[in-house]
Amino acid sequence: MRFSLLLTGLAATLAAAIPLDEQLFGRSLDLGSKLHSSDRRTARGDPEGNGFHSGYFYSYWSDGRGSVDYRNQPNGTYTATWTNVGNWVGGKGWNPGGPKVVQYNGTWSGRNVNSYLALYGWTKNALIEYYIVESYGSYNPSSGTSRLGTVNSDGSDYDIYRTQRVNQPSIVGRATFYQFWSVRRNHRVGGTITVANHFAAWERSNLKLGTHDYMILATEGYGSSGSSAITVREAGVEGVPYPNEPDSRRDNN
């Protein structure tokens, strides 16, 4: 559960001074709470954590404010309802991720609130956090940033950005790392994401990924209420990606 976009010159200076989440969502959020918060009094549904469920990898986190009812469903499906939350993010996908052709469908009620639907992941060596944003609500995640390029994929242009997080929590502990973003202009809830197109476009913009860690089709909400029901799969692949993985869960770092 952590986030990404590209800045140069003055914009890079601003990125170092202003937390990414404040830049992207008009808010100030301590990403460390995503890794270390112990307040889970308002969580409902499945417990927070990450692991495998019904043959897919999943990850679910909240900051403990408001109410979140996240539930893993069979195969690549999850459902979520959130009410007056601080911040939460969750979804299903793969570990490791990579240049897959991802298909998804479902419902998402975040069009008029602070929320978004995105393919989200991490790499190591280099440590990178990335988003391919399919839909966002009342706050445009590219606000206040400098566009580095554009890629046309799967029926729409996506604008490309990068931001930097300095000495912030990550999947390997506190670190300084970049965040890469592709933000879709024509919003949708369902379709195909040709992930390799985004990776190649980032590479052309000198945005280099490392070794893939997890990648999920995520719903996120901040200071809002809403719901989603999403099913994800890899195009052309029969069955679930991890048929031999038993259901499991581990606590978030």
Side-chain angles (χ1 to χ4, degrees):
M1 326 6 122
R2 9 276 166 176
F3 334 120
S4 315
L5 290 189
L6 273 188
L7 299 175
T8 57
L10 176 60
T13 302
L14 291 174
I18 303 172
L20 169 69
D21 301 294
E22 186 173 344
Q23 297 168 30
L24 298 185
F25 301 103
R27 71 203 195 210
S28 178
L29 171 67
D30 178 9
L31 183 61
S33 65
K34 290 193 170 185
L35 301 175
H36 303 296
S37 175
S38 60
D39 184 0
R40 295 293 182 262
R41 292 170 296 178
T42 59
R44 296 187 289 127
D46 291 345
E48 294 175 39
N50 62 85
F52 292 90
H53 179 271
S54 195
Y56 279 80
F57 180 81
Y58 79 94
S59 179
Y60 161 45
W61 168 90
S62 86
D63 67 1
R65 294 180 290 166
S67 175
V68 181
D69 187 340
Y70 173 90
R71 297 177 187 264
N72 286 314
Q73 305 291 353
N75 299 323
T77 299
Y78 68 90
T79 59
T81 301
W82 67 98
T83 305
N84 299 324
V85 295
N87 187 215
W88 88 277
V89 62
K92 276 188 165 184
W94 300 267
N95 191 356
K100 302 178 183 296
V101 179
V102 174
Q103 293 181 331
Y104 77 100
N105 61 73
T107 62
W108 171 75
S109 70
R111 290 180 178 85
N112 298 313
V113 301
N114 198 342
S115 175
Y116 64 87
L117 188 67
L119 190 69
Y120 166 73
W122 283 89
T123 72
K124 298 177 180 176
N125 300 317
L127 184 64
I128 302 292
E129 180 184 50
Y130 65 85
Y131 280 102
I132 301 171
V133 178
E134 293 286 282
S135 290
Y136 61 84
S138 58
Y139 193 85
N140 184 339
S142 64
S143 297
T145 65
S146 296
R147 182 167 57 89
L148 296 180
T150 301
V151 58
N152 185 275
S153 184
D154 305 306
S156 178
D157 286 337
Y158 290 75
D159 294 318
I160 297 171
Y161 305 87
R162 182 189 70 181
T163 53
Q164 187 180 45
R165 297 287 281 170
V166 177
N167 192 30
Q168 296 297 318
S170 75
I171 58 171
V172 298
R174 296 190 74 88
T176 296
F177 55 90
Y178 284 113
Q179 304 171 309
F180 299 170
W181 292 76
S182 288
V183 181
R184 187 178 176 94
R185 293 182 184 176
N186 299 328
H187 298 185
R188 63 178 179 174
V189 183
T192 298
I193 304 172
T194 307
V195 181
N197 292 347
H198 298 273
F199 290 174
W202 294 345
E203 180 81 15
R204 290 193 296 271
S205 296
N206 202 32
L207 307 182
K208 301 181 185 299
L209 295 167
T211 301
H212 287 279
D213 202 84
Y214 74 81
M215 179 176 76
I216 60 174
L217 202 298
T219 301
E220 179 151 2
Y222 182 85
S224 63
S225 300
S227 64
S228 68
I230 299 296
T231 298
V232 65
R233 64 183 295 270
E234 184 175 1
V237 175
E238 296 296 328
V240 300
Y242 308 107
N244 298 320
E245 284 284 354
D247 289 357
S248 62
R249 188 195 71 85
R250 64 180 183 182
D251 291 338
N252 295 321
N253 292 332

